[in-house]
PDB file of all heavy atoms in Angstrom:
ATOM      1  N   GLY E 852     -27.373   4.014   9.295  1.00  0.00           N
ATOM      2  CA  GLY E 852     -26.727   2.857   8.693  1.00  0.00           C
ATOM      3  C   GLY E 852     -26.199   3.184   7.304  1.00  0.00           C
ATOM      4  O   GLY E 852     -26.653   4.120   6.655  1.00  0.00           O
ATOM      5  N   VAL E 853     -25.225   2.394   6.866  1.00  0.00           N
ATOM      6  CA  VAL E 853     -24.633   2.541   5.539  1.00  0.00           C
ATOM      7  C   VAL E 853     -24.545   1.157   4.915  1.00  0.00           C
ATOM      8  O   VAL E 853     -24.049   0.208   5.553  1.00  0.00           O
ATOM      9  CB  VAL E 853     -23.225   3.171   5.603  1.00  0.00           C
ATOM     10  CG1 VAL E 853     -22.641   3.297   4.187  1.00  0.00           C
ATOM     11  CG2 VAL E 853     -23.275   4.529   6.283  1.00  0.00           C
ATOM     12  N   GLU E 854     -25.021   1.036   3.688  1.00  0.00           N
ATOM     13  CA  GLU E 854     -24.899  -0.234   2.984  1.00  0.00           C
ATOM     14  C   GLU E 854     -24.344  -0.006   1.584  1.00  0.00           C
ATOM     15  O   GLU E 854     -24.516   1.071   0.997  1.00  0.00           O
ATOM     16  CB  GLU E 854     -26.228  -0.967   2.903  1.00  0.00           C
ATOM     17  CG  GLU E 854     -27.265  -0.297   2.024  1.00  0.00           C
ATOM     18  CD  GLU E 854     -28.530  -1.153   1.854  1.00  0.00           C
ATOM     19  OE1 GLU E 854     -28.492  -2.058   0.999  1.00  0.00           O
ATOM     20  OE2 GLU E 854     -29.514  -0.888   2.566  1.00  0.00           O
ATOM     21  N   LEU E 855     -23.646  -1.012   1.103  1.00  0.00           N
ATOM     22  CA  LEU E 855     -23.152  -1.008  -0.268  1.00  0.00           C
ATOM     23  C   LEU E 855     -24.181  -1.722  -1.125  1.00  0.00           C
ATOM     24  O   LEU E 855     -24.489  -2.909  -0.880  1.00  0.00           O
ATOM     25  CB  LEU E 855     -21.802  -1.724  -0.348  1.00  0.00           C
ATOM     26  CG  LEU E 855     -21.197  -1.895  -1.742  1.00  0.00           C
ATOM     27  CD1 LEU E 855     -20.810  -0.542  -2.346  1.00  0.00           C
ATOM     28  CD2 LEU E 855     -19.993  -2.828  -1.684  1.00  0.00           C
ATOM     29  N   LEU E 856     -24.770  -1.034  -2.109  1.00  0.00           N
ATOM     30  CA  LEU E 856     -25.782  -1.668  -2.948  1.00  0.00           C
ATOM     31  C   LEU E 856     -25.194  -2.901  -3.622  1.00  0.00           C
ATOM     32  O   LEU E 856     -24.075  -2.876  -4.136  1.00  0.00           O
ATOM     33  CB  LEU E 856     -26.306  -0.688  -3.992  1.00  0.00           C
ATOM     34  CG  LEU E 856     -27.075   0.540  -3.471  1.00  0.00           C
ATOM     35  CD1 LEU E 856     -27.654   1.339  -4.626  1.00  0.00           C
ATOM     36  CD2 LEU E 856     -28.175   0.135  -2.494  1.00  0.00           C
ATOM     37  N   GLY E 857     -25.955  -3.966  -3.583  1.00  0.00           N
ATOM     38  CA  GLY E 857     -25.509  -5.224  -4.164  1.00  0.00           C
ATOM     39  C   GLY E 857     -24.707  -6.076  -3.217  1.00  0.00           C
ATOM     40  O   GLY E 857     -24.344  -7.208  -3.551  1.00  0.00           O
ATOM     41  N   SER E 858     -24.427  -5.558  -2.015  1.00  0.00           N
ATOM     42  CA  SER E 858     -23.598  -6.304  -1.066  1.00  0.00           C
ATOM     43  C   SER E 858     -24.232  -6.370   0.318  1.00  0.00           C
ATOM     44  O   SER E 858     -24.433  -7.448   0.866  1.00  0.00           O
ATOM     45  CB  SER E 858     -22.200  -5.682  -0.967  1.00  0.00           C
ATOM     46  OG  SER E 858     -21.402  -6.356  -0.031  1.00  0.00           O
ATOM     47  N   GLY E 859     -24.555  -5.203   0.875  1.00  0.00           N
ATOM     48  CA  GLY E 859     -25.140  -5.178   2.211  1.00  0.00           C
ATOM     49  C   GLY E 859     -24.457  -4.178   3.108  1.00  0.00           C
ATOM     50  O   GLY E 859     -23.714  -3.299   2.662  1.00  0.00           O
ATOM     51  N   ALA E 860     -24.693  -4.306   4.400  1.00  0.00           N
ATOM     52  CA  ALA E 860     -24.154  -3.357   5.375  1.00  0.00           C
ATOM     53  C   ALA E 860     -22.633  -3.376   5.361  1.00  0.00           C
ATOM     54  O   ALA E 860     -21.997  -4.414   5.154  1.00  0.00           O
ATOM     55  CB  ALA E 860     -24.675  -3.691   6.770  1.00  0.00           C
ATOM     56  N   VAL E 861     -22.057  -2.195   5.573  1.00  0.00           N
ATOM     57  CA  VAL E 861     -20.600  -2.054   5.608  1.00  0.00           C
ATOM     58  C   VAL E 861     -20.183  -1.357   6.900  1.00  0.00           C
ATOM     59  O   VAL E 861     -20.984  -0.700   7.570  1.00  0.00           O
ATOM     60  CB  VAL E 861     -20.073  -1.258   4.390  1.00  0.00           C
ATOM     61  CG1 VAL E 861     -20.295  -2.030   3.094  1.00  0.00           C
ATOM     62  CG2 VAL E 861     -20.731   0.129   4.327  1.00  0.00           C
ATOM     63  N   GLU E 862     -18.925  -1.498   7.246  1.00  0.00           N
ATOM     64  CA  GLU E 862     -18.376  -0.837   8.423  1.00  0.00           C
ATOM     65  C   GLU E 862     -18.219   0.658   8.136  1.00  0.00           C
ATOM     66  O   GLU E 862     -17.710   1.046   7.092  1.00  0.00           O
ATOM     67  CB  GLU E 862     -17.016  -1.451   8.757  1.00  0.00           C
ATOM     68  CG  GLU E 862     -16.341  -0.830   9.975  1.00  0.00           C
ATOM     69  CD  GLU E 862     -14.959  -1.420  10.207  1.00  0.00           C
ATOM     70  OE1 GLU E 862     -14.707  -2.550   9.724  1.00  0.00           O
ATOM     71  OE2 GLU E 862     -14.132  -0.734  10.853  1.00  0.00           O
ATOM     72  N   TRP E 863     -18.664   1.488   9.088  1.00  0.00           N
ATOM     73  CA  TRP E 863     -18.566   2.933   8.881  1.00  0.00           C
ATOM     74  C   TRP E 863     -18.383   3.648  10.216  1.00  0.00           C
ATOM     75  O   TRP E 863     -18.762   3.153  11.268  1.00  0.00           O
ATOM     76  CB  TRP E 863     -19.810   3.465   8.176  1.00  0.00           C
ATOM     77  CG  TRP E 863     -21.087   3.318   8.971  1.00  0.00           C
ATOM     78  CD1 TRP E 863     -21.883   2.213   9.057  1.00  0.00           C
ATOM     79  CD2 TRP E 863     -21.692   4.301   9.825  1.00  0.00           C
ATOM     80  NE1 TRP E 863     -22.945   2.429   9.898  1.00  0.00           N
ATOM     81  CE2 TRP E 863     -22.854   3.720  10.378  1.00  0.00           C
ATOM     82  CE3 TRP E 863     -21.364   5.618  10.176  1.00  0.00           C
ATOM     83  CZ2 TRP E 863     -23.702   4.393  11.254  1.00  0.00           C
ATOM     84  CZ3 TRP E 863     -22.201   6.301  11.059  1.00  0.00           C
ATOM     85  CH2 TRP E 863     -23.352   5.693  11.573  1.00  0.00           C
ATOM     86  N   ARG E 864     -17.776   4.835  10.144  1.00  0.00           N
ATOM     87  CA  ARG E 864     -17.611   5.708  11.305  1.00  0.00           C
ATOM     88  C   ARG E 864     -17.701   7.143  10.835  1.00  0.00           C
ATOM     89  O   ARG E 864     -17.133   7.507   9.803  1.00  0.00           O
ATOM     90  CB  ARG E 864     -16.238   5.496  11.967  1.00  0.00           C
ATOM     91  CG  ARG E 864     -16.037   4.166  12.644  1.00  0.00           C
ATOM     92  CD  ARG E 864     -14.646   4.034  13.256  1.00  0.00           C
ATOM     93  NE  ARG E 864     -13.595   4.177  12.253  1.00  0.00           N
ATOM     94  CZ  ARG E 864     -12.737   5.174  12.191  1.00  0.00           C
ATOM     95  NH1 ARG E 864     -12.804   6.174  13.074  1.00  0.00           N
ATOM     96  NH2 ARG E 864     -11.807   5.217  11.249  1.00  0.00           N
ATOM     97  N   GLN E 865     -18.418   7.973  11.580  1.00  0.00           N
ATOM     98  CA  GLN E 865     -18.480   9.406  11.269  1.00  0.00           C
ATOM     99  C   GLN E 865     -17.561  10.134  12.229  1.00  0.00           C
ATOM    100  O   GLN E 865     -17.788  10.136  13.445  1.00  0.00           O
ATOM    101  CB  GLN E 865     -19.912   9.927  11.367  1.00  0.00           C
ATOM    102  CG  GLN E 865     -20.097  11.297  10.732  1.00  0.00           C
ATOM    103  CD  GLN E 865     -21.551  11.738  10.734  1.00  0.00           C
ATOM    104  OE1 GLN E 865     -22.342  11.282  11.562  1.00  0.00           O
ATOM    105  NE2 GLN E 865     -21.908  12.626   9.823  1.00  0.00           N
ATOM    106  N   THR E 866     -16.514  10.732  11.701  1.00  0.00           N
ATOM    107  CA  THR E 866     -15.496  11.384  12.518  1.00  0.00           C
ATOM    108  C   THR E 866     -15.440  12.867  12.197  1.00  0.00           C
ATOM    109  O   THR E 866     -16.177  13.371  11.346  1.00  0.00           O
ATOM    110  CB  THR E 866     -14.113  10.762  12.247  1.00  0.00           C
ATOM    111  OG1 THR E 866     -13.672  11.173  10.942  1.00  0.00           O
ATOM    112  CG2 THR E 866     -14.166   9.246  12.302  1.00  0.00           C
ATOM    113  N   ALA E 867     -14.546  13.543  12.866  1.00  0.00           N
ATOM    114  CA  ALA E 867     -14.372  14.977  12.620  1.00  0.00           C
ATOM    115  C   ALA E 867     -13.837  15.249  11.226  1.00  0.00           C
ATOM    116  O   ALA E 867     -13.938  16.372  10.721  1.00  0.00           O
ATOM    117  CB  ALA E 867     -13.427  15.562  13.668  1.00  0.00           C
ATOM    118  N   GLU E 868     -13.274  14.219  10.588  1.00  0.00           N
ATOM    119  CA  GLU E 868     -12.712  14.397   9.248  1.00  0.00           C
ATOM    120  C   GLU E 868     -13.682  14.014   8.144  1.00  0.00           C
ATOM    121  O   GLU E 868     -13.507  14.425   6.986  1.00  0.00           O
ATOM    122  CB  GLU E 868     -11.435  13.569   9.104  1.00  0.00           C
ATOM    123  CG  GLU E 868     -10.299  14.057   9.995  1.00  0.00           C
ATOM    124  CD  GLU E 868      -9.037  13.273   9.772  1.00  0.00           C
ATOM    125  OE1 GLU E 868      -9.099  12.200   9.106  1.00  0.00           O
ATOM    126  OE2 GLU E 868      -7.977  13.715  10.244  1.00  0.00           O
ATOM    127  N   GLY E 869     -14.688  13.208   8.460  1.00  0.00           N
ATOM    128  CA  GLY E 869     -15.625  12.798   7.428  1.00  0.00           C
ATOM    129  C   GLY E 869     -16.255  11.465   7.749  1.00  0.00           C
ATOM    130  O   GLY E 869     -16.033  10.872   8.817  1.00  0.00           O
ATOM    131  N   LEU E 870     -17.054  10.983   6.806  1.00  0.00           N
ATOM    132  CA  LEU E 870     -17.676   9.675   6.932  1.00  0.00           C
ATOM    133  C   LEU E 870     -16.706   8.635   6.369  1.00  0.00           C
ATOM    134  O   LEU E 870     -16.433   8.616   5.166  1.00  0.00           O
ATOM    135  CB  LEU E 870     -19.004   9.634   6.171  1.00  0.00           C
ATOM    136  CG  LEU E 870     -19.708   8.271   6.116  1.00  0.00           C
ATOM    137  CD1 LEU E 870     -20.141   7.831   7.518  1.00  0.00           C
ATOM    138  CD2 LEU E 870     -20.906   8.327   5.165  1.00  0.00           C
ATOM    139  N   ALA E 871     -16.171   7.788   7.235  1.00  0.00           N
ATOM    140  CA  ALA E 871     -15.207   6.763   6.824  1.00  0.00           C
ATOM    141  C   ALA E 871     -15.942   5.446   6.623  1.00  0.00           C
ATOM    142  O   ALA E 871     -16.661   4.979   7.515  1.00  0.00           O
ATOM    143  CB  ALA E 871     -14.119   6.610   7.876  1.00  0.00           C
ATOM    144  N   VAL E 872     -15.761   4.846   5.460  1.00  0.00           N
ATOM    145  CA  VAL E 872     -16.430   3.596   5.106  1.00  0.00           C
ATOM    146  C   VAL E 872     -15.378   2.606   4.625  1.00  0.00           C
ATOM    147  O   VAL E 872     -14.461   2.969   3.881  1.00  0.00           O
ATOM    148  CB  VAL E 872     -17.481   3.815   4.003  1.00  0.00           C
ATOM    149  CG1 VAL E 872     -18.117   2.495   3.585  1.00  0.00           C
ATOM    150  CG2 VAL E 872     -18.549   4.807   4.461  1.00  0.00           C
ATOM    151  N   THR E 873     -15.520   1.364   5.026  1.00  0.00           N
ATOM    152  CA  THR E 873     -14.636   0.307   4.550  1.00  0.00           C
ATOM    153  C   THR E 873     -15.412  -0.597   3.595  1.00  0.00           C
ATOM    154  O   THR E 873     -16.395  -1.235   3.995  1.00  0.00           O
ATOM    155  CB  THR E 873     -14.088  -0.531   5.715  1.00  0.00           C
ATOM    156  OG1 THR E 873     -13.393   0.329   6.631  1.00  0.00           O
ATOM    157  CG2 THR E 873     -13.136  -1.598   5.206  1.00  0.00           C
ATOM    158  N   LEU E 874     -14.992  -0.625   2.343  1.00  0.00           N
ATOM    159  CA  LEU E 874     -15.660  -1.443   1.335  1.00  0.00           C
ATOM    160  C   LEU E 874     -15.135  -2.869   1.379  1.00  0.00           C
ATOM    161  O   LEU E 874     -13.956  -3.108   1.678  1.00  0.00           O
ATOM    162  CB  LEU E 874     -15.410  -0.871  -0.069  1.00  0.00           C
ATOM    163  CG  LEU E 874     -15.893   0.549  -0.342  1.00  0.00           C
ATOM    164  CD1 LEU E 874     -15.509   0.954  -1.764  1.00  0.00           C
ATOM    165  CD2 LEU E 874     -17.399   0.673  -0.153  1.00  0.00           C
ATOM    166  N   PRO E 875     -15.980  -3.848   1.061  1.00  0.00           N
ATOM    167  CA  PRO E 875     -15.499  -5.233   0.959  1.00  0.00           C
ATOM    168  C   PRO E 875     -14.652  -5.405  -0.306  1.00  0.00           C
ATOM    169  O   PRO E 875     -14.528  -4.479  -1.114  1.00  0.00           O
ATOM    170  CB  PRO E 875     -16.799  -6.035   0.872  1.00  0.00           C
ATOM    171  CG  PRO E 875     -17.785  -5.088   0.256  1.00  0.00           C
ATOM    172  CD  PRO E 875     -17.419  -3.730   0.795  1.00  0.00           C
ATOM    173  N   ALA E 876     -14.094  -6.571  -0.467  1.00  0.00           N
ATOM    174  CA  ALA E 876     -13.299  -6.852  -1.661  1.00  0.00           C
ATOM    175  C   ALA E 876     -14.134  -6.611  -2.912  1.00  0.00           C
ATOM    176  O   ALA E 876     -15.333  -6.904  -2.944  1.00  0.00           O
ATOM    177  CB  ALA E 876     -12.800  -8.300  -1.611  1.00  0.00           C
ATOM    178  N   ASP E 877     -13.486  -6.069  -3.934  1.00  0.00           N
ATOM    179  CA  ASP E 877     -14.194  -5.679  -5.156  1.00  0.00           C
ATOM    180  C   ASP E 877     -14.514  -6.894  -6.011  1.00  0.00           C
ATOM    181  O   ASP E 877     -13.628  -7.661  -6.383  1.00  0.00           O
ATOM    182  CB  ASP E 877     -13.336  -4.698  -5.948  1.00  0.00           C
ATOM    183  CG  ASP E 877     -14.025  -4.227  -7.221  1.00  0.00           C
ATOM    184  OD1 ASP E 877     -15.261  -4.371  -7.315  1.00  0.00           O
ATOM    185  OD2 ASP E 877     -13.329  -3.724  -8.113  1.00  0.00           O
ATOM    186  N   ALA E 878     -15.796  -7.051  -6.328  1.00  0.00           N
ATOM    187  CA  ALA E 878     -16.214  -8.125  -7.239  1.00  0.00           C
ATOM    188  C   ALA E 878     -16.806  -7.557  -8.519  1.00  0.00           C
ATOM    189  O   ALA E 878     -17.394  -8.284  -9.312  1.00  0.00           O
ATOM    190  CB  ALA E 878     -17.240  -9.015  -6.539  1.00  0.00           C
ATOM    191  N   SER E 879     -16.636  -6.235  -8.721  1.00  0.00           N
ATOM    192  CA  SER E 879     -17.289  -5.572  -9.860  1.00  0.00           C
ATOM    193  C   SER E 879     -16.346  -5.305 -11.023  1.00  0.00           C
ATOM    194  O   SER E 879     -16.765  -4.760 -12.044  1.00  0.00           O
ATOM    195  CB  SER E 879     -17.889  -4.246  -9.403  1.00  0.00           C
ATOM    196  OG  SER E 879     -16.866  -3.294  -9.135  1.00  0.00           O
ATOM    197  N   GLY E 880     -15.070  -5.627 -10.862  1.00  0.00           N
ATOM    198  CA  GLY E 880     -14.128  -5.322 -11.927  1.00  0.00           C
ATOM    199  C   GLY E 880     -13.731  -3.867 -11.972  1.00  0.00           C
ATOM    200  O   GLY E 880     -13.357  -3.363 -13.034  1.00  0.00           O
ATOM    201  N   GLY E 881     -13.816  -3.187 -10.838  1.00  0.00           N
ATOM    202  CA  GLY E 881     -13.384  -1.793 -10.786  1.00  0.00           C
ATOM    203  C   GLY E 881     -14.434  -0.782 -11.175  1.00  0.00           C
ATOM    204  O   GLY E 881     -14.119   0.396 -11.364  1.00  0.00           O
ATOM    205  N   MET E 882     -15.677  -1.196 -11.257  1.00  0.00           N
ATOM    206  CA  MET E 882     -16.757  -0.267 -11.608  1.00  0.00           C
ATOM    207  C   MET E 882     -17.047   0.687 -10.451  1.00  0.00           C
ATOM    208  O   MET E 882     -16.689   0.411  -9.291  1.00  0.00           O
ATOM    209  CB  MET E 882     -18.026  -1.048 -11.958  1.00  0.00           C
ATOM    210  CG  MET E 882     -17.929  -1.877 -13.220  1.00  0.00           C
ATOM    211  SD  MET E 882     -17.881  -0.874 -14.735  1.00  0.00           S
ATOM    212  CE  MET E 882     -19.608  -0.386 -14.878  1.00  0.00           C
ATOM    213  N   PRO E 883     -17.698   1.824 -10.721  1.00  0.00           N
ATOM    214  CA  PRO E 883     -18.142   2.703  -9.640  1.00  0.00           C
ATOM    215  C   PRO E 883     -19.039   1.948  -8.658  1.00  0.00           C
ATOM    216  O   PRO E 883     -19.624   0.912  -8.998  1.00  0.00           O
ATOM    217  CB  PRO E 883     -18.919   3.798 -10.375  1.00  0.00           C
ATOM    218  CG  PRO E 883     -18.305   3.837 -11.744  1.00  0.00           C
ATOM    219  CD  PRO E 883     -17.989   2.401 -12.055  1.00  0.00           C
ATOM    220  N   TYR E 884     -19.165   2.468  -7.449  1.00  0.00           N
ATOM    221  CA  TYR E 884     -19.965   1.816  -6.418  1.00  0.00           C
ATOM    222  C   TYR E 884     -20.971   2.811  -5.859  1.00  0.00           C
ATOM    223  O   TYR E 884     -20.837   4.030  -6.028  1.00  0.00           O
ATOM    224  CB  TYR E 884     -19.070   1.282  -5.301  1.00  0.00           C
ATOM    225  CG  TYR E 884     -18.294   2.364  -4.588  1.00  0.00           C
ATOM    226  CD1 TYR E 884     -18.810   3.008  -3.464  1.00  0.00           C
ATOM    227  CD2 TYR E 884     -17.037   2.753  -5.050  1.00  0.00           C
ATOM    228  CE1 TYR E 884     -18.109   4.018  -2.824  1.00  0.00           C
ATOM    229  CE2 TYR E 884     -16.327   3.769  -4.422  1.00  0.00           C
ATOM    230  CZ  TYR E 884     -16.866   4.397  -3.317  1.00  0.00           C
ATOM    231  OH  TYR E 884     -16.175   5.398  -2.694  1.00  0.00           O
TER     232      TYR E 884
END
């Protein structure tokens, strides 16, 4: 599983190119995640 700290589980797929993750809309003002 993959989760975004402060938010919860996120959509992810592990492919031949890498671990692809889709982040939710940003509520942090552009801070690192």
